[in-house]
Amino acid sequence: MNEAAARAKRVASGQSGTLRVGFVESVSWHGVVPDSFREFRERQPDAELQLKPASSLEQTEAVHSGRLDAGFVFTIANIGRELAQLPIAWLNLMLAAPKGHPLTKLKKLRLRDLSAAAFVWFPRRESPAYYDRLMHECFRGGLKSPHIVQEAVNEATILSLVSCRLGVAFVSSATRWRCPESVALLPVTDLKLPLPI
């Protein structure tokens, strides 16, 4: 009975119970996201931490519906006033290209240099606001119409397709923590589209 009372007290104070958190898998390898999981575990050893990798859109819907308590998402679009948001980091976009690709030989890579490149791209339905902003940035920089040869919904698949030389792709700078050896990450000097987490 004493243990039950103590457990109820821990649950009421937030020291026990369950916290359901989503995260974009591409930012879980290094930095604030895995550090926060580790810190939570250290501070709340009696609490259950349920982690769910999911896209930003899936997480936002899951928080709205009550299936998740919180999520680490890319916040390109306004996700609504009913959800609290706290910016925790900013990432940049880089170009992932197979090692030895002609683009890897350029000293200063610009968007207009990518006009003839075959791209692996994400479907617009995954993040319409981000997709549109990226297309706008490309157009502004001289990449009027990217030649998309393949779509893929997550960064791991995109990197795999770049690795097998299907094309090049824009990826977050967090990719450096898990980039395949056969893929080079290149800064694009005139691509200014930060990714807030």
Side-chain angles (χ1 to χ4, degrees), residues 141-196:
L143 178 57
K144 304 291 186 202
S145 182
H147 177 56
I148 300 169
V149 296
Q150 183 65 50
E151 288 187 334
V153 296
N154 63 51
E155 203 168 70
T157 304
I158 289 171
L159 286 170
S160 175
L161 296 172
V162 170
S163 179
C164 64
R165 309 187 77 78
L166 195 62
V168 300
F170 291 119
V171 295
S172 77
S173 55
T175 301
R176 68 182 178 271
W177 302 110
R178 62 162 184 166
C179 190
E181 286 185 27
S182 60
V183 174
L185 296 178
L186 311 168
V188 181
T189 58
D190 58 346
L191 180 55
K192 308 294 185 213
L193 184 60
L195 290 167

Side-chain angles (χ1 to χ4, degrees), residues 24 54-64 67 73-74 79 124-128:
V24 176
S55 71
S56 296
L57 181 61
E58 291 169 329
Q59 288 182 68
T60 302
E61 291 170 356
V63 171
H64 274 289
R67 296 185 320 261
V73 300
F74 290 118
I79 60 177
R124 186 176 185 277
R125 70 180 177 276
E126 290 298 311
S127 179

Side-chain angles (χ1 to χ4, degrees), residues 19 25 81 129 156 179:
L19 180 63
E25 194 266 340
R81 286 183 281 172
C179 190

Side-chain angles (χ1 to χ4, degrees), residues 16-196:
S16 187
T18 302
L19 180 63
R20 302 162 304 162
V21 180
F23 62 96
V24 176
E25 194 266 340
S26 63
V27 299
S28 67
W29 289 79
H30 182 79
V32 69
V33 175
D35 291 348
S36 68
F37 296 154
R38 188 172 30 263
E39 187 172 332
F40 179 82
R41 178 59 45 232
E42 290 169 0
R43 289 184 179 195
Q44 305 294 338
D46 293 334
E48 179 185 4
L49 182 59
Q50 292 180 359
L51 301 174
K52 173 148 178 57
S55 71
S56 296
L57 181 61
E58 291 169 329
Q59 288 182 68
T60 302
E61 291 170 356
V63 171
H64 274 289
S65 69
R67 296 185 320 261
L68 286 178
D69 300 309
F72 290 97
V73 300
F74 290 118
T75 54
I76 293 296
N78 185 359
I79 60 177
R81 286 183 281 172
E82 62 276 1
L83 297 180
Q85 300 177 53
L86 175 66
I88 57 168
W90 295 83
L91 299 175
N92 295 312
L93 283 181
M94 302 187 80
L95 185 76
K99 285 192 176 167
H101 190 282
L103 291 172
T104 63
K105 298 183 180 19
L106 297 177
K107 290 185 190 248
K108 185 176 179 182
L109 185 61
R110 293 177 300 251
L111 286 165
R112 68 175 181 237
D113 300 325
L114 306 176
S115 295
F119 274 92
V120 179
W121 210 273
F122 64 96
R124 186 176 185 277
R125 70 180 177 276
E126 290 298 311
S127 179
Y130 176 57
Y131 185 100
D132 293 347
R133 286 183 60 194
L134 179 56
M135 284 294 191
H136 175 76
E137 280 297 303
C138 288
F139 188 85
R140 181 198 54 74
L143 178 57
K144 304 291 186 202
S145 182
H147 177 56
I148 300 169
V149 296
Q150 183 65 50
E151 288 187 334
V153 296
N154 63 51
E155 203 168 70
T157 304
I158 289 171
L159 286 170
S160 175
L161 296 172
V162 170
S163 179
C164 64
R165 309 187 77 78
L166 195 62
V168 300
F170 291 119
V171 295
S172 77
S173 55
T175 301
R176 68 182 178 271
W177 302 110
R178 62 162 184 166
C179 190
E181 286 185 27
S182 60
V183 174
L185 296 178
L186 311 168
V188 181
T189 58
D190 58 346
L191 180 55
K192 308 294 185 213
L193 184 60
L195 290 167

